[in-house]
Amino acid sequence: KAGVTQTPRYLIKTRGQQVTLSCSPISGHRSVSWYQQTPGQGLQFLFEYFSETQRNKGNFPGRFSGRQFSNSRSEMNVSTLELGDSALYLCASRTDSGANVLTFGAGSRLTVL
Amino acid sequence: AQSVTQPDIHITVSEGASLELRCNYSYGATPYLFWYVQSPGQGLQLLLKYFSGDTLVQGIKGFEAEFKRSQSSFNLRKPSVHWSDAAEYFCAVGILTGGGNKLTFGTGTQLKVEL
């Protein structure tokens, strides 16, 4: 069974640009979550999607958005990039709502110059 | 609000020595607790989880953890560390909210293994 696939793995953007990151969950998993990892703030929850609906949202500005498609694939978008958005963005999937285990992808490393 | 504390930022042990990584949590209800490991440039890999039942849980790679409700702790242990265990370890508490769930992570403990 293929794991959680995130693309691209690495990308470099400049301030003010926008970026879209993609996540393909494990087959059969309908819930996708996104986390941001930075040296200063650690791992922080961004949002969770289940069956194309956002279930939870973390404490991030509106520049951070996401969506989920009918095949459970998810994208997150960051508009008007700031230097502080440089981070590893991790996607995770699980089978259904509830206390299931999250399986993480390898992440997308975003550098904002 | 829930929180997780990992008091040790860095730990160095010799290969073959025992290991204990500390984790304390704050959460009003029964927690779902996890330990994840992250190697450089990689995502998070689940080591073990506690949902309910036996408070001593076994995980992969020879790791175990013990849930102690009275101490709000979920410490990770391994009797004999291997050089390949060098990585960063994260404790997390999972909560159910809004019909979904989310993890709150500790700040991580970087493990160095001396040969």
Side-chain angles (χ1 to χ4, degrees), chain A residues 35 37 48 55-56 98-99 102, chain B residues 36 38 41 51 97 99 101 103:
Chain A
Y35 288 79
Q37 185 177 25
E48 179 188 19
R55 287 299 183 94
N56 288 293
L102 287 177
Chain B
Y36 282 88
Q38 185 178 37
F51 287 173
T97 177
N101 77 10
L103 297 180

Side-chain angles (χ1 to χ4, degrees), chain A residues 9 33 35 37 43 45 48 55-56 88 90 94 97-102 104-106, chain B residues 32 34 36 38 41-44 46 49 51 90 96-103 105:
Chain A
R9 287 292 314 278
S33 300
Y35 288 79
Q37 185 177 25
L43 282 153
F45 172 76
E48 179 188 19
R55 287 299 183 94
N56 288 293
L88 181 66
L90 292 165
R94 59 187 174 87
S97 292
N100 300 99
V101 174
L102 287 177
F104 283 83
Chain B
Y32 301 102
F34 306 84
Y36 282 88
Q38 185 178 37
Q42 298 300 312
L44 300 170
L46 178 72
K49 62 186 184 292
F51 287 173
F90 293 92
L96 300 179
T97 177
N101 77 10
K102 68 174 186 176
L103 297 180
F105 287 90

Side-chain angles (χ1 to χ4, degrees), chain A:
Chain A
K1 212 174 196 182
V4 178
T5 303
Q6 292 188 245
T7 57
R9 287 292 314 278
Y10 303 90
L11 66 166
I12 300 173
K13 294 286 187 178
T14 57
R15 280 181 298 173
Q17 288 186 312
Q18 74 163 9
V19 65
T20 298
L21 308 177
S22 179
C23 173
S24 294
I26 292 172
S27 177
H29 286 194
R30 294 194 294 166
S31 170
V32 173
S33 300
W34 289 89
Y35 288 79
Q36 181 196 63
Q37 185 177 25
T38 60
Q41 299 299 316
L43 282 153
Q44 293 185 288
F45 172 76
L46 279 158
F47 24 65
E48 179 188 19
Y49 287 87
F50 177 76
S51 292
E52 302 179 65
T53 301
Q54 187 179 90
R55 287 299 183 94
N56 288 293
K57 190 177 191 303
N59 189 26
F60 280 82
R63 301 185 296 107
F64 291 80
S65 63
R67 60 178 175 169
Q68 187 180 34
F69 302 95
S70 58
N71 62 357
S72 295
R73 190 177 70 85
S74 177
E75 289 180 347
M76 68 162 284
N77 184 78
V78 187
S79 62
T80 318
L81 284 166
E82 301 177 359
L83 295 179
D85 297 332
S86 294
L88 181 66
Y89 290 89
L90 292 165
C91 170
S93 72
R94 59 187 174 87
T95 56
D96 205 338
S97 292
N100 300 99
V101 174
L102 287 177
T103 301
F104 283 83
S108 292
R109 170 75 64 185
L110 170 65
T111 301
V112 182
L113 302 177

Side-chain angles (χ1 to χ4, degrees), chain B residues 12-33:
Chain B
T12 300
V13 300
S14 298
E15 190 176 35
S18 63
L19 172 70
E20 181 169 29
L21 302 182
R22 296 182 290 164
C23 172
N24 292 95
Y25 68 90
S26 173
Y27 183 53
T30 300
Y32 301 102
L33 296 164

